[in-house]
Amino acid sequence: MIWLLLFHLAASAALMAVGDRLGRWSFAVAGAPMSVSAAVALEATITRRRVVDTYQWVEGLDLTMAVRLDAFTSLLLLLVSGIGVLICVYAAGYFAAGTVGVGRFAATLLAFSTAMAGLVVADTAWTLFVFWELTSITSFLLVGHKRTDAGARIAARRALVITASGGLALLAGFVALLDVAPGARLSELESVSGGWATAAAVLILVAAATKSAQVPFHVWLPGAMAAPTPVSAYLHSATMVKAGVVLVAVASPALGETGVWTPLGVAFGATSMIWGAVGALRQVDAKLIMAWGTVSQLGLMIALLSIGSAKATFAAVAIVVAHALFKAALFMVVGEIDVRTGTRDINELHGLRRSMPVAFVVTVIASASMAGVPPLLGFPAKEAAVEAALGLQGGERAVMLAIIIGGSILTVAYTTRFVLGVFGPSTDHSAGHSTAVAPARPMMAAPSVVLALATLGGFAALGWVTGIVRGASVVLDSKAEVYSLLRWPGLTDAFLISVGIVLVGAVVGTALAARLTGPAPRTLGADGVDTAIDQVVVLARIVAARVQHGSLPGYVLTIVGTAALAASPFLWSFDLGPVYGWDNLGQGVLAVFVAAAAIAATRVRTRLGAALVLGAIGFAVTGLFVAHGAPDLVLTQLLVETVVVVGFVVGLGRLTTTFPRIGGLWLSSRLAVSALAAGATAVALVASSGRLGMSPPANSVTHRLTEEAVDEGGGKNIVNVVLTDVRALDTLGEVIVLVVVAVGILALTRTRPDEGPEFEPDAEPDLVQPESDVLVVST
């Protein structure tokens, strides 16, 4: 599996380089690795085999990259990769021929698919965290793909800030969790408790809420609808927004027993399910209706997984599968309507059931599944959720029933309003006949048809689907083995509740379809987030102007002062016992010379004199290395000092011969902080080394270096081994940093003014239509 992920990344990098030359064929290249992953996942799902693949990164720090395929992860991988293939087909029909940036879009889409695939199969906390962050970065690039659109840029920035903040919470949560469960694989986590476990539970739930757009972190998702529709159909239905759900699922066995896990998770889920459904009812943009509906349905999944019962877990997994199929199909239909009619406003759309019959049938099937109507896969999944709520006791039962019944009624209501608004007759008799549509694009229609058939076929083959869902649920909770999805549950309480939900919701939706026709309000909190981000940027500029003032002495003063402050905790263990003057008289003489030269350097008025004095200090330090018996360091120090002195002398030719005069107060403060603080810090560290146990114990890194210098490093000098083995990696890291900086500079300096518009407005109305919900103009 690790090699498969690396293959995906390599294909994405190659596609980024040559994709623009391929045009829409780049989606075929992007879909090929996804097809391989989907085939691997399907085989693992059918055979139910378990595969674990690990790579030891840093053994001493317990950093291991590990992935696994089991019944749960293979199901998720099948959804991620399988729907990804359909998205590539859809995108090939969505973008007009000759659209600039298609290759870049396809490469980024493949990179996101790789990140999401790695996230769902991760088996260690650090593996999951790495891919979690990659999903945030790649989704930012996809949402902001229309880089000339101010609304898209603002929406992408908002999404990145919120999800990246959640990534910080996840990192802190994993640190707390691994403190009480060190080295545990995610698939082997056992229940933990205590203060650190409680902290981990809160942080991990917050991280999940940010990624799965749960209230109050939901404001990024409606704004992200500024992205091209293939992004919305993929990221915001079947993949990225499910990352938080996956996180809650894998962490629940370990943190479910903490006192905060269930109430906080249910609070996130309940608030999001109701508020998301209300938000969907208030929208007139069909795409935003889908987005707000996603917030609502993700809330139901989070709430079910937070409950912790085996039946609720089983229901949550079933809803994850059903939701991925019907919501991706609905997003695709909305995108097709947008491209063929030039609008997504349901007030301007009417009568499309005759002019777009395929889209109409797909919408009816997918919408009915979302509403929980048989014979579609959404029906048994919703039934399982109601049964799970009825199986609870006391307050949990009442709360979950209220959430599911209230949220589901609103879901049916906004689904009914959406279908009637887009495909029904116009309520305004002056509007005339049906909305005019452009010719069909088969490659846009085909993927949604496949998903609609999968929703219908899932109900027909419910026994097979039950086995897959049950196997995935058992990985999370072994008690889920006894549950099944039912085509006909009988006249049970759950079935009667479902019937009532559909009837009431349909009546409410029909009534609201003719009344909620005004412009939709802005997303509550979106402006606040954008304003906060802007103010942080302004504050950063102010701080940078104060701190990065161009004064080298000021920088040195800040660095030394910070180092001295960092050393202050060592003062409590101050002990002069280990401190002694010198090993031989030569060291003492050289030390006095170094101190005297340092004082002289502060009094010299000419630049050349200061350079020579600094060189003298360096050569005196070389003498100290000679006295210590370190000839390799002597040669290194001599080379460095010679180059530095020569460089100073050469560079001084362009400067004045003397230093500018400075005040006595500024000079005194520099001497006090730079000299006294630095010296005091060094003395404090040395004097506290004995009490802090800095002499290497038997199991320390220093002891291991001493033992393995000859066997592993091939040298008797530990310093040489460190320089050649350890510092080689450090140097490689520095080279990578320089390469990244160079790439950034190259990207900033590249201009392509003759390229023309990135998108075809006439052919791609979805790519250029402004949305009042996301467009912010600031000065």
Side-chain angles (χ1 to χ4, degrees):
M1 274 302 300
I2 291 179
W3 289 109
L4 182 59
L5 295 175
L6 292 176
F7 167 64
H8 278 224
L9 290 174
S12 176
L15 190 57
M16 185 67 73
V18 302
D20 286 338
R21 303 175 189 173
L22 299 176
R24 289 187 292 180
W25 283 103
S26 58
F27 291 109
V29 178
M34 298 183 195
S35 301
V36 174
S37 294
V40 171
L42 180 61
E43 187 273 336
T45 301
I46 294 174
T47 61
R48 300 190 184 183
R49 65 186 178 94
R50 177 181 172 85
V51 178
V52 178
D53 195 3
T54 62
Y55 173 73
Q56 188 75 45
W57 186 15
V58 182
E59 181 180 359
L61 299 178
D62 196 29
L63 292 180
T64 302
M65 305 297 288
V67 297
R68 77 183 192 279
L69 271 182
D70 54 27
F72 178 65
T73 59
S74 60
L75 173 60
L76 295 175
L77 182 61
L78 179 60
L79 292 175
V80 169
S81 300
I83 295 180
V85 174
L86 296 177
I87 292 295
C88 288
V89 176
Y90 178 83
Y94 179 84
F95 289 101
T99 302
V100 176
V102 168
R104 171 168 54 88
F105 180 87
T108 309
L109 191 69
L110 176 57
F112 171 81
S113 177
T114 305
M116 194 65 205
L119 188 151
V120 299
V121 300
D123 198 28
T124 65
W126 306 126
T127 306
L128 191 150
F129 176 75
V130 168
F131 286 110
W132 180 282
E133 292 298 278
L134 285 176
T135 60
S136 295
I137 295 170
T138 50
S139 66
F140 164 76
L141 297 175
L142 289 171
V143 173
H145 180 71
K146 296 181 288 183
R147 51 192 177 187
T148 58
D149 183 355
R153 294 198 304 269
I154 291 172
R157 185 185 67 171
R158 185 192 310 156
L160 179 64
V161 169
I162 294 176
T163 56
S165 300
L168 293 176
L170 178 63
L171 177 61
F174 277 158
V175 170
L177 176 61
L178 295 180
D179 185 72
V180 292
R185 297 289 181 91
L186 295 179
S187 57
E188 300 171 355
L189 287 175
E190 297 181 356
S191 180
V192 295
S193 59
W196 282 114
T198 300
V202 172
L203 291 167
I204 288 176
L205 280 174
V206 168
T210 60
K211 189 74 85 172
S212 289
Q214 299 295 278
V215 176
F217 308 107
H218 67 291
V219 295
W220 69 265
L221 183 55
M225 296 302 105
T229 299
V231 176
S232 304
Y234 194 36
L235 275 66
H236 306 139
S237 63
T239 53
M240 178 177 170
V241 292
K242 297 287 176 61
V245 177
V246 173
L247 177 62
V248 174
V250 299
S252 188
L255 301 172
E257 297 300 320
T258 58
V260 73
W261 182 262
T262 296
L264 183 57
V266 171
F268 275 133
T271 308
S272 301
M273 187 173 186
I274 301 300
W275 185 245
V278 171
L281 281 171
R282 299 161 71 215
Q283 300 300 320
V284 296
D285 185 322
K287 201 174 178 184
L288 288 174
I289 293 174
M290 295 296 104
W292 281 95
T294 299
V295 172
S296 177
Q297 286 138 14
L298 290 170
L300 175 59
M301 300 175 209
I302 294 290
L304 287 171
L305 289 170
S306 300
I307 286 295
S309 70
K311 181 66 173 179
T313 300
F314 177 81
V317 174
I319 291 175
V320 166
V321 176
H323 177 266
L325 298 178
F326 65 66
K327 186 53 68 73
L330 288 172
F331 267 117
M332 289 180 181
V333 169
V334 169
E336 183 182 5
I337 291 171
D338 191 10
V339 168
R340 295 182 64 186
T341 67
T343 182
R344 297 194 302 257
D345 191 331
I346 63 174
N347 293 328
E348 301 175 6
L349 296 168
H350 46 85
L352 294 183
R353 66 180 182 276
R354 292 188 180 91
S355 54
M356 298 181 64
V358 175
F360 173 64
V361 173
V362 171
T363 300
V364 169
I365 292 175
S367 298
S369 182
M370 182 164 63
V373 176
L376 299 162
L377 189 57
F379 168 70
K382 184 65 68 66
E383 284 291 295
V386 177
E387 288 282 3
L390 290 172
L392 300 174
Q393 301 294 327
E396 282 188 350
R397 186 176 189 268
V399 170
M400 287 302 298
L401 279 175
I403 295 170
I404 293 175
I405 294 175
S408 298
I409 289 175
L410 293 175
T411 298
V412 176
Y414 70 70
T415 301
T416 303
R417 176 172 172 261
F418 165 73
V419 175
L420 293 178
V422 174
F423 294 96
S426 174
T427 57
D428 184 2
H429 297 290
S430 64
H433 300 290
S434 300
T435 304
V437 299
R441 298 186 181 186
M443 295 188 71
M444 289 187 69
S448 62
V449 172
V450 172
L451 291 171
L453 292 176
T455 301
L456 189 60
F459 186 87
L462 197 59
W464 182 69
V465 174
T466 295
I468 294 175
V469 172
R470 182 190 295 132
S473 303
V474 168
V475 173
L476 304 175
D477 191 332
S478 59
K479 298 178 183 178
E481 179 68 34
V482 299
Y483 299 114
S484 299
L485 297 173
L486 303 175
R487 288 193 187 89
W488 170 244
L491 296 178
T492 61
D493 292 341
F495 178 76
L496 296 177
I497 289 173
S498 295
V499 172
I501 287 172
V502 173
L503 293 177
V504 174
V507 171
V508 173
T510 303
L512 294 179
R515 297 183 181 181
L516 297 178
T517 58
R522 284 190 53 78
T523 303
L524 183 63
D527 288 340
V529 172
D530 294 333
T531 301
I533 295 173
D534 289 336
Q535 293 304 314
V536 169
V537 173
V538 171
L539 180 61
R541 289 173 179 168
I542 295 174
V543 172
R546 298 292 184 271
V547 176
Q548 301 293 332
H549 41 66
S551 172
L552 182 59
Y555 294 161
V556 174
L557 194 67
T558 302
I559 294 172
V560 173
T562 303
L565 184 63
S568 59
F570 295 98
L571 294 177
W572 66 271
S573 57
F574 194 86
D575 184 7
L576 291 176
V579 179
Y580 58 94
W582 51 71
D583 292 313
N584 54 66
L585 185 58
Q587 290 178 338
V589 173
L590 288 171
V592 171
F593 179 82
V594 169
I599 295 174
T602 64
R603 310 305 303 173
V604 173
R605 297 295 305 155
T606 63
R607 298 182 187 274
L608 181 59
L612 294 177
V613 172
L614 288 176
I617 294 173
F619 288 118
V621 172
T622 303
L624 288 173
F625 290 148
V626 173
H628 275 292
D632 52 342
L633 294 181
V634 170
L635 294 175
T636 303
Q637 185 73 12
L638 281 174
L639 177 62
V640 170
E641 289 301 328
T642 302
V643 172
V644 168
V645 171
V646 172
F648 268 133
V649 173
V650 172
L652 290 178
R654 296 181 178 272
L655 301 174
T656 58
T657 57
T658 60
F659 291 109
R661 293 189 175 275
I662 58 175
L665 179 61
W666 175 229
L667 178 60
S668 301
S669 61
R670 285 162 54 181
L671 291 175
V673 175
S674 301
L676 298 179
T681 300
V683 172
L685 291 174
V686 173
S688 61
S689 61
R691 292 187 60 183
L692 287 174
M694 289 187 179
S695 54
N699 60 347
S700 69
V701 174
T702 303
H703 184 76
R704 291 182 60 186
L705 282 174
T706 304
E707 288 185 340
E708 299 177 6
V710 176
D711 298 334
E712 298 289 337
K716 298 181 180 180
N717 189 313
I718 298 178
V719 175
N720 286 341
V721 172
V722 171
L723 288 174
T724 54
D725 288 3
V726 179
R727 288 302 304 276
L729 295 177
D730 179 56
T731 304
L732 176 62
E734 294 172 355
V735 170
I736 293 174
V737 171
L738 292 175
V739 170
V740 171
V741 172
V743 171
I745 294 173
L746 180 62
L748 291 174
T749 56
R750 288 179 63 187
T751 56
R752 301 163 72 179
D754 57 339
E755 210 173 52
E758 281 200 66
F759 302 99
E760 300 283 348
D762 294 336
E764 302 300 331
D766 179 66
L767 297 178
V768 298
Q769 180 182 354
E771 298 177 3
S772 61
D773 190 68
V774 299
L775 186 59
V776 178
V777 179
S778 59
T779 58

